[in-house]
Amino acid sequence: MEENIKKNEGSAKKAALSIKNLNKSLGRRQILHDISFDAYEGEVFGFLGPNGAGKTTTIKLITGLLNIDEGNIEIGGYSLKKNYEKALGSIGGIVENPEMYKHLTGMENLKQYARMRDNITNERIEEVVKIVGLSNRINEKIKRYSLGMRQRLGVAQALLHRPRLLLLDEPTNGLDPAGIKELRDILKKLAHEENICVLVSSHLMSEMELMCDRVGIINNGKMVGVYTVEEMIRESSGDNAEYIYNVDNTEKVSALLGNAEYRISDENYIEVTFSGDDTEEKLAELNRKLIENGVKLYTVSPKEKKKLEDVFIEITQSGGVQIG
């Protein structure tokens, strides 16, 4: 697919993660093909792709769990090849469910972790506890925590050393709707108010649409592109507006539509597509014409707009969306 969707170049933003011409093979199979993208401070960046696309391999390379074959990864301005410790020191991360000492309290867990890092003060511990909204439960034992609370404590732990990049792989797995919303709000606040780059890999497209500022899509080991969520959905839908008509005679309606695009979806329902900027005028004119020609018009409602999931499927399964 050609990258016809406008990219957010982020020229005024500082890259917390910069990946350039990344290639990786496992055995004789090449998993990643010349991957390049930047993720910036102050944004929630969604890393999306179908199973087997190369997401996990990329994440393992970012976190130093796999060696780079070709290309470069910079985290917080430090090259993973040339300055490994400082690059990894700029990352905080959670992969699925964070592991905790369940017989200890939340505060004791954070202090245990703080001992493994330099210069983490009690004030910093209190600060991250407040950020994730656990101040009233931090002195309870982990075994009493819900999964959502443990996930928030994991985020607090990952933030202790002030990382530039917070990397989360499937962070909402197993959470109920309330827990998902709590975590989403925390991550957006971290990005937009604390100026951290939050990189999230997830298969929950509806959640990514609500959470992310931009998304990067990988498919078959190749980077399809990086887009803002709004532009991706809007531009893939084009300027067309679709309305669903509930009428008594769809055949009669279709005969009155002239060159307008339509689809009969049910005995009494017909979907009509209006193109151009004067949608309201065209809508009013068609309604007038139907009534004048004796069509019983029960309801007219706009068709639900495309969602990130729809566009993602188009891009990864149908050869991409044609824009412009």
Side-chain angles (χ1 to χ4, degrees), residues 8-15 40-41:
N8 180 350
E9 298 296 338
S11 56
K13 297 182 179 180
K14 193 171 183 179
Y40 300 106
E41 294 178 353

Side-chain angles (χ1 to χ4, degrees), residues 25-120:
S25 296
L26 296 176
R28 296 182 178 180
R29 182 186 171 205
Q30 186 168 354
I31 307 298
L32 301 180
H33 304 262
D34 203 36
I35 299 293
S36 295
F37 68 90
D38 292 334
Y40 300 106
E41 294 178 353
E43 73 172 350
V44 181
F45 185 95
F47 191 43
L48 311 180
N51 290 337
K55 296 193 309 296
T56 300
T57 299
T58 304
I59 289 171
K60 286 182 177 179
L61 288 165
I62 294 170
T63 54
L65 296 175
L66 288 175
N67 293 324
I68 298 170
D69 290 350
E70 295 178 357
N72 191 39
I73 297 175
E74 286 189 1
I75 306 159
Y78 297 107
S79 169
L80 199 57
K81 281 184 175 180
K82 299 176 181 178
N83 209 328
Y84 183 82
E85 289 188 5
K86 285 191 175 180
L88 287 188
S90 299
I91 299 179
I94 303 176
V95 178
E96 294 187 346
N97 298 326
E99 293 298 325
M100 302 287 178
Y101 296 106
K102 293 182 181 179
H103 64 286
L104 300 179
T105 67
M107 179 62 76
E108 288 168 341
N109 268 273
L110 292 180
K111 288 184 175 180
Q112 282 284 92
Y113 180 77
R115 292 189 185 101
M116 297 184 284
R117 294 275 186 172
D118 294 328
N119 304 317
I120 296 178

Side-chain angles (χ1 to χ4, degrees), residues 180-293:
I180 289 174
K181 184 182 184 304
E182 286 176 349
L183 186 60
R184 180 209 313 151
D185 291 343
I186 289 169
L187 297 181
K188 291 172 70 173
K189 182 177 179 180
L190 284 171
H192 301 156
E193 297 183 18
E194 304 292 328
N195 205 39
I196 293 172
C197 175
V198 180
L199 188 147
V200 183
S201 174
S202 176
H203 68 282
L204 295 178
M205 293 296 151
S206 59
E207 194 53 40
M208 297 294 267
E209 183 173 342
L210 292 171
M211 186 188 304
C212 298
D213 300 297
R214 293 191 305 149
V215 294
I217 298 179
I218 186 172
N219 193 30
N220 295 321
K222 298 177 181 179
M223 206 67 191
V224 176
V226 178
Y227 321 108
T228 69
V229 173
E230 293 81 4
E231 286 176 338
M232 185 175 175
I233 295 171
R234 183 179 66 247
E235 295 190 28
S236 70
S237 300
D239 296 326
N240 295 336
E242 296 177 291
Y243 284 81
I244 301 173
Y245 279 74
N246 181 6
V247 295
D248 67 330
N249 190 327
T250 55
E251 294 296 336
K252 192 171 184 179
V253 172
S254 64
L256 294 169
L257 286 174
N259 294 326
E261 182 182 340
Y262 68 90
R263 184 176 75 89
I264 297 174
S265 56
D266 192 81
E267 182 180 354
N268 296 109
Y269 290 89
I270 183 168
E271 299 175 12
V272 182
T273 300
F274 298 97
S275 58
D277 298 326
D278 53 347
T279 298
E280 291 184 357
E281 289 295 326
K282 291 176 180 176
L283 186 65
E285 177 61 22
L286 177 58
N287 293 347
R288 181 192 63 78
K289 186 186 293 186
L290 296 183
I291 292 170
E292 287 181 353
N293 284 274

